[in-house]
Amino acid sequence: DAKTTQPTSMDCAEGRAANLPCNHSTISGNEYVYWYRQIHSQGPQYIIHGLKNNETNEMASLIITEDRKSSTLILPHATLRDTAVYYCIVSSTSGGSYIPTFGRGTSLIVHP
Amino acid sequence: GAVVSQHPSWVICKSGTSVKIECRSLDFQATTMFWYRQFPKQSLMLMATSNEGSKATYEQGVEKDKFLINHASLTLSTLTVTSAHPEDSSFYICSARPLGLGNYNEQFFGPGTRLTVL
């Protein structure tokens, strides 16, 4: 079972910030939060991950609440090419290995 | 960045035939590769975990005799769908975990293979 809940869909105007929330209230202390996105008929693309501190890279920013029960992925200036399904994943382990378990994700539509 | 390729990108076959899908890590070695299946408008479902040089670990409900996985080298894993039927039509995606590259939790996904069984 996915350990996260996300809104089914969101929309955003091109050029504006897209803020995608994710709840992971059962996250444990050593589990990371990962974000991937999947553009239609392509493989998932890694975006960012974090443990407890906020993170930023060239694609996005990740804000994790202090209690780590939720996080927000921020695309600061959304473009039409950011239209995709965004998956928030909490690392689950199997024999010590990290295996991402995908939930339904959030379908983000960026409109002109 | 690390690149994972899949071949073929799409395949159409007749019911009862077998289809092999290759997953390659192009610029890194991967001790572990994962195989997922995705039906239309659904999320990715993990089918199996493939470790180089050992037998794959299959998720519950996935038939190991139908979905044969071979991980003979650190850069190649193959998934063979044996005696394919129309219900096996799906989007098959692999991912690879780099060996000694960056955060050990990182994975890189292939572009997927669209299988259509007539």
Side-chain angles (χ1 to χ4, degrees), chain B residues 10-114:
Chain B
W10 60 271
V11 56
I12 301 172
C13 69
K14 293 182 179 179
S15 184
T17 61
S18 294
V19 175
K20 179 185 286 188
I21 302 170
E22 293 185 349
C23 176
R24 293 181 184 273
S25 55
L26 297 185
D27 50 1
F28 66 96
Q29 293 181 324
T31 54
T32 305
M33 291 184 173
F34 303 91
W35 286 96
Y36 295 82
R37 179 168 54 182
Q38 185 176 34
F39 292 107
K41 298 188 182 301
Q42 295 189 22
S43 188
L44 284 76
M45 297 297 296
L46 180 66
M47 298 176 66
T49 302
S50 168
N51 291 297
E52 185 267 337
S54 63
K55 291 182 179 180
T57 302
Y58 291 81
E59 294 299 301
Q60 190 173 10
V62 178
E63 300 176 58
K64 62 180 182 180
D65 294 332
K66 181 170 181 63
F67 298 99
L68 301 179
I69 292 173
N70 184 280
H71 193 160
S73 77
L74 289 173
T75 60
L76 174 63
S77 176
T78 60
L79 168 68
T80 301
V81 183
T82 62
S83 187
H85 289 92
E87 58 265 32
D88 298 321
S89 298
S90 188
F91 192 49
Y92 291 85
I93 304 168
C94 73
S95 69
R97 175 182 298 147
L99 170 66
L101 178 66
N103 187 314
Y104 86 100
N105 279 338
E106 282 188 59
Q107 292 194 29
F108 299 93
F109 287 82
T113 296
R114 176 77 57 191

